[in-house]
Amino acid sequence: MTELKQLVALNCYDMICVSETHFNDALTSAEVEIPGYNSYRCDRDFKLDRSMNNKMFSDCGGSVIFVHESIEVIEARMGLDSIVVFIECDIGKVAIACVYRSPSLNKKQDKQLLSFLKGIFIDESTSAKFCFGDFNLSHVSWLSGTILEQHSAGNEMVLRQKKYLELVHELGLSWLLTTEITRRRINNSTGTLNESLLDQLLFSDDGLVNEFKIGSHLGKSDHATINVELNVPHPARVLSFHI
């Protein structure tokens, strides 16, 4: 949090979206507050089926959105490791979501998250929708908008990731990143560097994003930061985000 607070102090972000926060009930909002911002968080409240010594895992996960105090949030809703806030802009009501999709979700949990995402984008009361986050869709080629050909069509993990891609196409969504690297991790077994595109911004219409920049990671995270400027006037300025 120290590095994030320092970064925010040097920049004028309107919102900061952070996924896989590792926040829990023992951590109060005061402990993670950023001066000048209101926080809207969703801590993990469910268990994963990933088994190790027959134990269920509930650690990690979660998402938080920090909103500058000059921006009024009119509503907030929580999903599976995810949260969406609604703000009023010149173009009308705008939805901003922050999502963390664990690669260890079971089939039922993936369906819950897909339903949450679909609900955001089919909401006719909003004029624009944005969904930032770590989707962990490692089998998706965002350059072509397809599943990578080398993966088996019968692989359960691939089939579930395909459901997210199908939802993106079904709703006619746009995405920000295509070939960029958002995570770099050293393989402890081989010592090789693994690079991947796991983070993404989905949005409802072309023309809603002005520009973006990939930044360095913060702290112990192996994910890059992403600075995004949105073409959404809020009374007299453009919204900018840091994820």
Side-chain angles (χ1 to χ4, degrees), residues 154-173:
N155 185 304
E156 175 65 23
M157 182 182 295
V158 176
L159 291 175
R160 279 201 257 151
Q161 292 190 22
K162 187 178 180 182
K163 293 291 185 182
Y164 287 86
L165 189 60
E166 288 174 345
L167 180 65
V168 168
H169 290 309
E170 174 192 339
L171 300 177
L173 305 182

Side-chain angles (χ1 to χ4, degrees), residues 86-113:
F86 298 87
I87 61 175
E88 198 68 41
C89 294
D90 289 354
I91 63 172
K93 188 177 175 184
V94 173
I96 310 288
C98 183
V99 170
Y100 175 62
R101 176 190 173 269
S102 168
S104 299
L105 293 182
N106 61 33
K107 192 172 183 179
K108 181 180 179 181
Q109 290 164 343
D110 261 326
K111 284 185 176 180
Q112 285 180 265
L113 184 54

Side-chain angles (χ1 to χ4, degrees), residues 4-151:
L4 178 58
K5 290 179 181 179
Q6 291 172 344
L7 187 64
V8 172
L10 294 172
N11 298 274
C12 188
Y13 299 121
D14 292 300
M15 293 189 183
I16 304 103
C17 299
V18 184
S19 60
E20 197 178 7
T21 59
H22 296 210
F23 292 174
N24 55 49
D25 292 342
L27 198 63
T28 66
S29 295
E31 292 178 274
V32 296
E33 72 175 4
I34 298 178
Y37 290 80
N38 296 312
S39 64
Y40 300 84
R41 57 190 263 197
C42 175
D43 300 346
R44 176 168 290 173
D45 60 356
F46 64 94
K47 295 183 181 295
L48 297 173
D49 288 345
R50 182 179 57 190
S51 61
M52 182 179 292
N53 299 326
N54 296 319
K55 293 181 179 180
M56 301 284 279
F57 281 72
S58 60
D59 57 337
C60 307
S63 294
V64 62
I65 302 178
F66 296 96
V67 183
H68 194 273
E69 60 188 7
S70 65
I71 298 175
E72 180 185 0
V73 172
I74 56 179
E75 184 185 358
R77 300 175 193 163
M78 290 190 292
L80 202 74
D81 268 348
S82 309
I83 189 163
V84 57
V85 298
F86 298 87
I87 61 175
E88 198 68 41
C89 294
D90 289 354
I91 63 172
K93 188 177 175 184
V94 173
I96 310 288
C98 183
V99 170
Y100 175 62
R101 176 190 173 269
S102 168
S104 299
L105 293 182
N106 61 33
K107 192 172 183 179
K108 181 180 179 181
Q109 290 164 343
D110 261 326
K111 284 185 176 180
Q112 285 180 265
L113 184 54
L114 280 164
S115 178
F116 176 74
L117 292 173
K118 186 171 184 177
I120 294 170
F121 284 103
I122 65 172
D123 186 349
E124 295 183 353
S125 71
T126 54
S127 301
K129 300 98 169 169
F130 302 90
C131 186
F132 299 82
D134 177 3
F135 292 90
N136 276 304
L137 300 178
S138 58
H139 298 295
V140 171
S141 166
W142 291 108
L143 181 61
S144 61
T146 61
I147 293 293
L148 294 169
E149 293 181 2
Q150 66 263 37
H151 297 298

Side-chain angles (χ1 to χ4, degrees), residues 182-202:
T182 65
R183 189 186 75 168
R184 290 180 170 86
R185 173 176 291 181
I186 298 293
N187 186 311
N188 292 328
S189 300
T190 64
T192 57
L193 176 64
N194 295 330
E195 298 181 322
S196 52
L197 170 53
L198 299 181
D199 305 272
Q200 189 59 267
L201 164 60
L202 304 175

